[in-house]
Amino acid sequence: MSSLDDSPIDGDAALRDDYAAALIARGVSREDAQSLAARTQYLPQAARAAKPSPRADGLLLSDTPPKTLSARDAKLLEAGVAIAQDPPDWNELIFHHSILCQTGLPRRKVKEREFQRRVGSAWLHVQAGILSIAGVPVPQPIPYGATPRLALACIATLALRSSSPAIEIGRTPADFMRLIGLADTQGGRYKTLRCQLNAMAACRLQMGFADHTFNSMAVKQYEAWLPRSAGELNKWPNVLVLTDDFYKELRAHGVPLDRRALHALTGSALCIDIYTWLAYRLHLIKGPPVTVPWAALRLQFGQEYCGVRAEDDFRTSFLLALPKVLAEYPQAKVTRYPGGLELHASPPPVQPRVFAVSPPRRPRCERSGA
């Protein structure tokens, strides 16, 4: 079971009992409710009384738990229970590049045309590019937020499953949104999806680890949802083609993840980054626990936090995000000490025997006019 502290915080027992009772009242089994309540972090009384930072990424638990969970928390709860009960099957796998598991894209909009993040020997450098739209070269921003993370992982998975850098991404944005776990009823997300896919298709990625460097575009061809005329519907699914170099990188360094977890964490880029990091890092630990101080965590995850309260804001956001991640990665063993986190050797979210990559089955096509 994942825990956040070696010793209980004052008030934990009562809050956990109340939270477990609320889960049981909503139809969750007693065993699962108690397990989830035990994995949830409860802030001390002083912290709960304080006004949360506007940059905080999550929901603070009050002294009196709400009678009903929000839609997002209900989604987290449902996915966490399913993941704890059943390992992912082949259709529930999703892949992400190992360096992107450690060094994510920016989580907020970047004004500059370049972005760089470094973690130990791994680093990521992104340069914004230009895309031709209606015959006009249009500068694109650097991709940021949860959407390009989900899109890139989905694209990588489709390419690996089909054993081809050319993949179909649907006839409409709604088709692709369903693939990456976004509700297609939220029309406001169509524009975000288009903008972020445009930015991702135009940008140049440079990634490195130790003496290995990748320097190329990720996408070679991209004509998504652009019919020749305004009234013309797309007859065939739109196609996105990865560069050969990036496709080879994915085949060599793809990390298997649980699609259910990523879809449950869709609303937070920070949660996605923490999940992919732990999924990559924990199973590599072979000896005693690895300590990661707050200073190192902020360099890895808190680059976007600025100002006099940057350190406190980042720590608050991280501590609010971590329990949500642990609920979707129940095998993870993470403890907290005053100076940071301790990472313990843990099984990966996807066991190696599950993710043999093979082409998906395709329906047979009957010849017409035989």
Side-chain angles (χ1 to χ4, degrees):
M1 180 182 297
S2 304
S3 61
L4 291 176
D5 284 289
D6 295 326
S7 57
I9 298 174
D10 181 34
D12 270 8
L15 286 172
R16 283 175 178 156
D17 289 345
D18 289 345
Y19 185 37
L23 296 178
I24 293 172
R26 298 189 71 253
V28 179
S29 70
R30 181 175 296 275
E31 181 181 357
D32 290 333
Q34 292 175 345
S35 175
L36 287 167
R39 286 203 301 270
T40 300
Q41 179 200 4
Y42 303 91
L43 299 179
Q45 184 69 32
R48 292 197 302 269
K51 183 179 179 181
S53 166
R55 293 182 180 176
D57 186 6
L59 178 65
L60 282 173
L61 290 177
S62 62
D63 292 330
T64 304
K67 294 181 179 180
T68 58
L69 295 176
S70 68
R72 179 177 296 180
D73 289 338
K75 181 180 178 181
L76 286 168
L77 174 61
E78 181 180 356
V81 171
I83 290 170
Q85 292 178 338
D86 301 309
D89 60 27
W90 186 82
N91 290 320
E92 291 166 340
L93 300 186
I94 195 166
F95 293 83
H96 207 34
H97 195 284
S98 60
I99 292 180
L100 293 176
C101 286
Q102 306 169 70
T103 60
L105 295 166
R107 289 188 291 276
R108 299 187 182 123
K109 188 173 183 178
V110 178
K111 296 180 180 179
E112 295 77 15
R113 301 290 292 170
E114 297 185 12
F115 173 85
Q116 182 170 302
R117 200 189 297 273
R118 179 181 176 184
V119 181
S121 299
W123 56 270
L124 169 70
H125 186 89
V126 187
Q127 293 176 298
I130 297 176
L131 204 64
S132 179
I133 298 179
V136 179
V138 180
Q140 300 298 311
I142 291 176
Y144 66 92
T147 299
R149 286 164 166 79
L150 295 167
L152 195 55
C154 179
I155 289 167
T157 304
L158 292 173
L160 291 176
R161 284 183 174 180
S162 62
S163 299
S164 170
I167 60 170
E168 297 176 352
I169 59 174
R171 290 181 173 85
T172 66
D175 291 341
F176 190 71
M177 288 178 73
R178 284 189 286 270
L179 283 175
I180 65 177
L182 296 177
D184 61 344
T185 57
Q186 300 182 13
R189 284 185 168 173
Y190 288 171
K191 182 178 180 181
T192 299
L193 177 64
R194 285 178 179 272
C195 291
Q196 293 302 323
L197 275 181
N198 286 349
M200 190 173 64
C203 75
R204 173 176 290 275
L205 287 177
Q206 292 178 285
M207 300 184 292
F209 183 82
D211 295 328
H212 173 75
T213 301
F214 167 79
N215 180 11
S216 177
M217 306 283 286
V219 178
K220 177 167 64 177
Q221 181 179 345
Y222 170 70
E223 297 176 351
W225 315 304
L226 295 175
R228 292 188 179 89
S229 65
E232 180 183 353
L233 295 177
N234 292 317
K235 181 178 180 180
W236 306 110
N238 290 281
V239 174
L240 183 147
V241 183
L242 299 175
T243 61
D244 292 337
D245 288 342
F246 189 66
Y247 176 66
K248 292 177 182 177
E249 280 286 312
L250 292 174
R251 290 186 62 87
H253 304 288
V255 176
L257 306 169
D258 194 321
R259 180 193 297 270
R260 296 170 297 176
L262 279 188
H263 285 187
L265 299 171
T266 293
S268 169
L270 178 58
C271 285
I272 293 174
D273 286 348
I274 297 174
Y275 173 80
T276 57
W277 170 59
L278 292 178
Y280 170 79
R281 185 73 181 88
L282 292 182
H283 76 281
L284 298 177
I285 300 173
K286 303 302 181 183
V290 175
T291 60
V292 186
W294 281 114
L297 289 170
R298 186 185 167 195
L299 284 175
Q300 181 172 0
F301 297 101
Q303 186 172 339
E304 290 84 357
Y305 292 83
C306 304
V308 294
R309 289 186 50 83
E311 183 176 346
D312 292 338
D313 287 345
F314 165 70
R315 186 177 303 187
T316 299
S317 295
F318 192 94
L319 289 177
L320 289 168
L322 184 58
K324 299 178 182 180
V325 173
L326 295 180
E328 309 310 313
Y329 185 4
Q331 307 97 318
K333 299 185 179 81
V334 180
T335 57
R336 198 179 90 206
Y337 73 100
L341 299 181
E342 281 190 348
L343 309 182
H344 302 254
S346 308
V350 177
Q351 296 300 320
R353 60 182 175 83
V354 176
F355 65 89
V357 176
S358 58
R361 295 180 179 178
R362 293 181 177 272
R364 293 183 178 180
C365 297
E366 298 181 359
R367 294 183 179 180
S368 59

